[in-house]
């Protein structure tokens, strides 16, 4: 390979760079958070690698992140002594779009035709945010474990190309040097950088150091400027809401406050700490229907970051939860495979589910507005739990809210318990109807007989409802039934009437069957209708027509 060369960015990188630099102008300052977060990841990675290879830390075991500035050169530098990057890694990480998240970000941003700064952190296009404030970025990096002569210098103006060069680097790790644009002088002031670190990066688990200032210049004395503590190890009484919120932001790549959290320490023959947050809005991934991106729950073992372990620690239907699990009794060298089949983790997972459901229940009970926000954002995701988590089905069902013929318009705010509370003692069934839209559900002729008898019907029109109901046959000892399916429960009087009507209508029914042929299963006289002359009904085991359509669309 050549010692020095110039390469072009992958086409998509150029696009991302363009989008990022044009949409972040109102949140310029997050470049620092993103670079520090990468530095912190690099320290995490090295600490993890050094478990098996302690020699990687040789002579430089205190992992830290240094932020400095040079007013004469007009540069800001973020340096870490973490894992570093080889030439190949730099090319792959900074010259191409490696992560699927970034790719989806690109699609989403292009589709929206407008930049939303909120999205950027969530998709982790972090490094490129450097080009919002810099017109040139120099990266100097040396992979842990390789000789000083094999350092790499990467440099780019963020336009279309970057240069690569092999250089001598005395220290392990990565330095990112930002050559600031002409009008970005604010970032050359120590107090400005420092206050950004406090605002965005206070809870990074490694010390972030800054030189003290002497005669307006950085001196040789370094000072740690962040809290650098594992916040979750503190006790609840020591922590303020602000601290919880700022930790949340350092975790979740979310600019917004968390909606609620639950923080617990379990001691005993298995000790662990969980700190779990509910976001206040769905991350973009979730809104786009993304299911594979499972980030946001970090597994630590004795304060050492091990990996993002949302799949191992949370069921799919709680994938919106963010936070930290810190276990004391797992081997530090766990692998992803071990994670999937570890009994201790199984128990921690069950505990996480319980804590989260407790938290949501508490919101439903004590903080209806927050619960509403939660349900708007994640109600449909939660419904997946009805099928996915048999053990908690009843608890989850209790949290669901629906529109109803006795509710307020299309608002989804009737709980199954509300419905049961209004049921006459003689009723033993919870009735519902499913349709493509709320209007179609509310206007269905199937409801006529129920209206006439003043029986409440839940109106379900979310895409997932029909599928969910396949797993929800019963709640609190009451059957759930679709008004469009099978026979209606009739009293003796009505039964007799219907039989007589059927007999009288036999010639008509036969004629209709003949005309409709294969297109229908049967033509019957029904007690369903009071105003409309006819409607389509389903037999008990038939799929609702809009679900059938959905499956057809999905290629089944
Ligand atoms: P993300 O952090 O979400 O992966 P970024 O754009 O912030 O995306 O970073 C891209 C990649 O570049 C990182 O995944 C990492 O592999 C590499 N990288 C960036 N900064 C550093 C650093 N300081 N040390 C080592 N690797 C880094
Ligand atoms: Mg990053």
């Amino acid at each position: 390979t050549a010692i020095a060369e110039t390469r072009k960015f992958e086409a998509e990188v150029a696009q991302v760079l363009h989008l990022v630099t044009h949409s972040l102008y109102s949140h310029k300052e997050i470049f620092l958070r993103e670079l520090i977060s990468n530095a912190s990841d690099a320290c995490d990675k090295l600490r993890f690698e050094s478990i098996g290879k302690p020699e990687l830390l040789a002579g430089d075991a205190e992992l830290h992140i240094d932020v400095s500035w040079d007013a004469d050169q007009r540069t800001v530098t973020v340096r870490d002594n973490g894992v570093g990057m080889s030439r190949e890694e730099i090319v792959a990480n900074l010259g191409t779009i490696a992560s699927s998240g970034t790719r989806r970000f690109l699609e989403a941003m292009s589709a929206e035709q407008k930049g939303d700064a909120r999205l950027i952190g969530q998709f982790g296009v972090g490094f490129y945010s450097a080009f919002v404030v810099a017109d040139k970025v120099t990266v100097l990096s040396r992979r842990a474990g390789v000789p000083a002569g094999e350092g790499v210098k990467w440099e780019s103006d963020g336009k279309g190309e970057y240069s690569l060069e092999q250089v001598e680097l005395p220290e392990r790790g990565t330095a990112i040097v930002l050559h600031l644009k002409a009008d970005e002088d604010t970032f050359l002031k120590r107090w400005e950088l420092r206050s950004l670190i406090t605002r965005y990066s206070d809870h990074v688990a490694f010390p972030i150091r800054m030189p003290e200032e002497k005669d307006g210049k950085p001196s040789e004395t370094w000072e740690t400027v962040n809290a650098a503590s594992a916040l979750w190890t503190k006790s609840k009484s020591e922590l303020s809401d602000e601290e919880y919120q700022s930790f949340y932001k350092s975790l979740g790549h979310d600019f917004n406050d968390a909606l609620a959290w639950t923080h617990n320490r379990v001691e005993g023959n298995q000790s662990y700490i969980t700190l779990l947050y509910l976001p206040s809005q769905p991350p973009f991934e979730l809104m786009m229907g993304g299911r594979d991106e499972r980030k946001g729950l970090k597994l630590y073992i004795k304060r050492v970051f091990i990996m993002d372990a949302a799949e191992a620690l949370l069921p799919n239907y709680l994938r919106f939860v963010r936070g930290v699990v810190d276990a004391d009794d797992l081997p530090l060298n766990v692998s992803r495979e071990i994670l999937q089949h570890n009994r201790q983790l199984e128990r921690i997972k069950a505990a996480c589910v319980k804590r989260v459901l407790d938290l949501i229940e508490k919101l439903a009970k004590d903080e209806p507005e927050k619960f509403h926000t939660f349900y708007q954002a994640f109600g449909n995701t939660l419904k997946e739990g009805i099928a996915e988590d048999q053990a908690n089905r009843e608890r989850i069902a209790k949290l669901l809210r629906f529109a109803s013929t006795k509710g307020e318009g299309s608002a989804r705010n009737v709980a199954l318990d509300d419905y049961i509370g209004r049921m006459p003692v003689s009723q033993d069934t919870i009735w519902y109807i499913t349709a493509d839209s709320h209007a179609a559900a509310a206007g269905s002729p199937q409801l006529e007989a129920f209206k006439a008898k003043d029986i409440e019907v839940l109106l379900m029109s979310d895409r997932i409802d029909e599928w969910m109901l396949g797993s929800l046959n019963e709640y609190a000892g009451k059957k759930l039934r679709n008004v469009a399916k099978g026979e209606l429960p009739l009293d003796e009087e009505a039964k007799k009437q219907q039989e007589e009507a059927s007999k009288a209508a036999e010639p008509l029914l036969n004629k209709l069957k003949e005309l409709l042929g294969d297109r229908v299963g049967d033509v019957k006289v029904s007690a369903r209708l009071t105003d409309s002359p006819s409607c389509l009904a389903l037999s008990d085991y038939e799929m609702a027509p809009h679900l059938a359509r959905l499956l057809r669309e999905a290629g089944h």
Side-chain angles (χ1 to χ4, degrees), residues 203 231 239-249 261:
H203 295 290
L231 172 132
L239 293 166
S240 65
D241 286 2
E242 287 72 29
E243 285 175 290
Y244 276 117
Q245 290 290 12
S246 94
F247 180 66
Y248 169 72
K249 285 172 198 162
W261 57 85

Side-chain angles (χ1 to χ4, degrees), residues 350-410:
C352 285
V353 172
K354 182 182 174 312
R355 297 295 183 197
V356 173
L357 293 179
D358 285 347
L359 179 63
I360 302 173
E361 264 168 27
K362 216 173 101 217
L363 288 186
K365 200 160 133 269
D366 303 332
E367 298 186 82
E369 247 163 68
K370 281 193 181 171
F371 178 75
H372 180 74
T373 305
F374 163 79
Y375 199 76
Q376 290 273 94
F378 305 113
N380 282 336
T381 316
L382 191 67
K383 284 174 188 170
E384 295 172 19
I386 295 287
E388 195 184 344
D389 188 355
Q390 287 198 26
N392 288 300
R393 183 173 294 158
E394 192 93 358
R395 282 192 79 180
I396 298 166
K398 203 182 186 66
L399 293 168
L400 302 182
R401 302 290 184 268
F402 303 102
S404 160
T405 52
K406 294 198 178 172
E408 303 148 32
S410 63

Side-chain angles (χ1 to χ4, degrees), residues 34 37-38 41 126:
E34 294 298 326
S37 132
N38 286 349
D41 291 348

